[in-house]
Amino acid sequence: MRIVWQTAKELVRELRFDGTTATFYIDGEKNDVVPGNALLGAYDRSGKLLTTWHLWLTNAADYGEQTYAGGRTFLTLNLGAARNANATPDEVLGSFGCFYQWGRKEPFVGPAAYDAADGADAKMYDANGETLYLTYEASSPETGTAEYAAAHPTTYILGTEASGYDWLHTPAAEPLWSGERKTANDPCPKGWRMPSERDFEALRIVDAAAGKESQYGWYLTDGTATAYYPGAGFRTYLTGVVQNMYNPVSGVEVPRPWTGDYWTAGTQGRLSSAFVFWFDAADPARSGTTPSEWRRRADGMQIRCVRE
């Protein structure tokens, strides 16, 4: 077993595997750790990656849950996020969490800067502290398979016309994610799963007219619970780069990823459903939410998990 990638040098230290149990150390004290993400991998004797585990580190004070009016309990922060706040650029960036292609278990890091100014990715390091970089490959009969994706967790598989702009070249026989039950590819922690299309239906912006570009997200409510949802944009299926967004109502260009894009488990042919909200730079009052928008599965989006 070894570290595939980690978001800080020595985030995970002294990783050992005795054939049955893995042990390691992380920096910090009880309930007060250095936030971050790491991907641990199990390999066979030939070096082939067999399976992975996503290690998500966040402080107990920043991790919580809340029950919405419909009875569904959500985490209060994005999967892989360090916190859920937007008072400073660092807090905004820390609230983004990881990005996922629809149906893939392994996470991808977000942008290096809160405004995705130069398109650079957040830093990743190997066990020796050497910098790692994501690679990008077009979906093909060879690369666009669940087996290839699992064996290449740092490769972002781009959608092509032949694949229907899905990272999978040929659709899977069974849904890789489900809004009814936890699947083997579900990336949420134990006890949590992917949300369904219905889980976001009641969410609305608390006060659209008061929206500001600097918030980088919205406070959303269903009348019972209120939570901050950061607008981190998404990794586009064509290039894998975090996409700078424009507003779908006014068409005004906004030179930063100021739209929230959250996967659900809903499917329709080669498309999957996302919960989307946006900021209208010309008139904040026209900002809005869409509980289910059909998107390409090679896109990379955030996830807000629900309790099983």
Side-chain angles (χ1 to χ4, degrees), residues 175-212:
L176 297 175
W177 290 348
S178 170
E180 305 299 328
R181 59 181 176 83
K182 192 173 180 72
T183 62
N185 264 31
D186 191 310
C188 292
K190 183 178 180 180
W192 300 84
R193 63 164 175 78
M194 285 295 301
S196 71
E197 295 173 77
R198 301 180 300 277
D199 291 330
F200 292 109
E201 283 181 342
L203 285 182
R204 298 292 183 269
I205 297 170
V206 172
D207 185 359
K212 295 185 296 184

Side-chain angles (χ1 to χ4, degrees), residues 39 50-54 79 99-108 145-151 153 157 166-168 172-179 181-190 192-195 263-265 297 303 305 308:
L39 194 67
L50 301 175
T51 190
T52 59
W53 293 268
H54 174 203
L79 182 55
F99 287 60
Y100 290 82
Q101 291 189 285
W102 195 95
R104 292 186 70 173
K105 179 168 68 78
E106 292 77 21
F108 293 93
T145 68
E147 293 75 20
Y148 185 91
I157 303 174
D166 189 345
W167 62 271
L168 276 174
E174 297 291 333
L176 297 175
W177 290 348
S178 170
R181 59 181 176 83
K182 192 173 180 72
T183 62
N185 264 31
D186 191 310
C188 292
K190 183 178 180 180
W192 300 84
R193 63 164 175 78
M194 285 295 301
W263 279 128
T264 82
R297 292 181 188 168
I303 293 174
C305 301
E308 287 189 89

Side-chain angles (χ1 to χ4, degrees), residues 1 8 39 65 74 110 157 165 180 213 232 255 275 278 290 301:
M1 179 175 285
L39 194 67
E65 58 186 67
F74 275 79
I157 303 174
Y165 302 106
E180 305 299 328
E213 224 173 299
F275 168 61
W278 65 87
T290 301
M301 301 186 195

Side-chain angles (χ1 to χ4, degrees), residues 115-116 212-214 216 231 233 243-259 278-283 287:
D115 57 0
K212 295 185 296 184
E213 224 173 299
S214 59
Y216 278 86
Q243 175 70 59
N244 286 343
M245 302 300 297
Y246 70 91
N247 174 259
V249 177
S250 68
V252 173
E253 295 285 343
V254 182
R256 38 179 63 88
W258 214 130
T259 292
W278 65 87
F279 173 74
D280 191 316
D283 182 359
S287 303

Side-chain angles (χ1 to χ4, degrees), residues 6 13 16 18 20 35 53 58 71 78 81-82 85 94 99 144 149 157 183-184 187 199 201 275 295:
Q6 54 189 337
R13 294 181 288 111
R16 295 186 176 90
D18 64 8
T20 303
W53 293 268
T58 189
N78 290 352
F99 287 60
I157 303 174
T183 62
D199 291 330
E201 283 181 342
F275 168 61
R295 301 288 287 273

Side-chain angles (χ1 to χ4, degrees), residues 10-245:
E10 297 190 333
L11 181 70
V12 179
R13 294 181 288 111
E14 299 184 40
L15 174 63
R16 295 186 176 90
F17 182 62
D18 64 8
T20 303
T21 304
T23 60
F24 53 86
Y25 292 93
I26 57 174
D27 285 334
E29 305 295 334
K30 183 179 180 181
N31 295 329
D32 185 17
V33 300
V34 175
N37 291 273
L39 194 67
L40 310 183
Y43 297 78
D44 66 14
R45 294 182 184 278
S46 69
K48 179 183 178 181
L49 179 61
L50 301 175
T51 190
T52 59
W53 293 268
H54 174 203
L55 184 62
W56 174 22
L57 302 176
T58 189
N59 287 305
D62 295 313
Y63 179 95
E65 58 186 67
Q66 58 188 172
T67 300
Y68 291 10
R72 180 65 65 202
T73 299
F74 275 79
L75 284 176
T76 56
L77 68 174
N78 290 352
L79 182 55
R83 59 186 62 85
N84 194 34
N86 63 344
T88 67
D90 284 345
E91 287 186 351
V92 170
L93 184 60
S95 297
F96 285 174
C98 297
F99 287 60
Y100 290 82
Q101 291 189 285
W102 195 95
R104 292 186 70 173
K105 179 168 68 78
E106 292 77 21
F108 293 93
V109 295
Y114 76 106
D115 57 0
D118 58 5
D121 292 327
K123 291 287 189 181
M124 298 190 301
Y125 304 92
D126 64 16
N128 298 318
E130 298 295 325
T131 303
L132 295 176
Y133 299 93
L134 294 179
T135 59
Y136 302 88
E137 293 197 35
S139 181
S140 70
E142 294 72 35
T143 63
T145 68
E147 293 75 20
Y148 185 91
H152 298 83
T154 60
T155 297
Y156 195 94
I157 303 174
L158 305 175
T160 65
E161 185 176 3
S163 72
Y165 302 106
D166 189 345
W167 62 271
L168 276 174
H169 196 268
T170 301
E174 297 291 333
L176 297 175
W177 290 348
S178 170
E180 305 299 328
R181 59 181 176 83
K182 192 173 180 72
T183 62
N185 264 31
D186 191 310
C188 292
K190 183 178 180 180
W192 300 84
R193 63 164 175 78
M194 285 295 301
S196 71
E197 295 173 77
R198 301 180 300 277
D199 291 330
F200 292 109
E201 283 181 342
L203 285 182
R204 298 292 183 269
I205 297 170
V206 172
D207 185 359
K212 295 185 296 184
E213 224 173 299
S214 59
Q215 288 182 182
Y216 278 86
W218 290 106
Y219 285 91
L220 304 178
T221 185
D222 66 349
T224 296
T226 300
Y228 173 63
Y229 280 73
F234 66 98
R235 289 186 176 275
T236 172
Y237 63 87
L238 292 174
T239 65
V241 176
V242 175
Q243 175 70 59
N244 286 343
M245 302 300 297

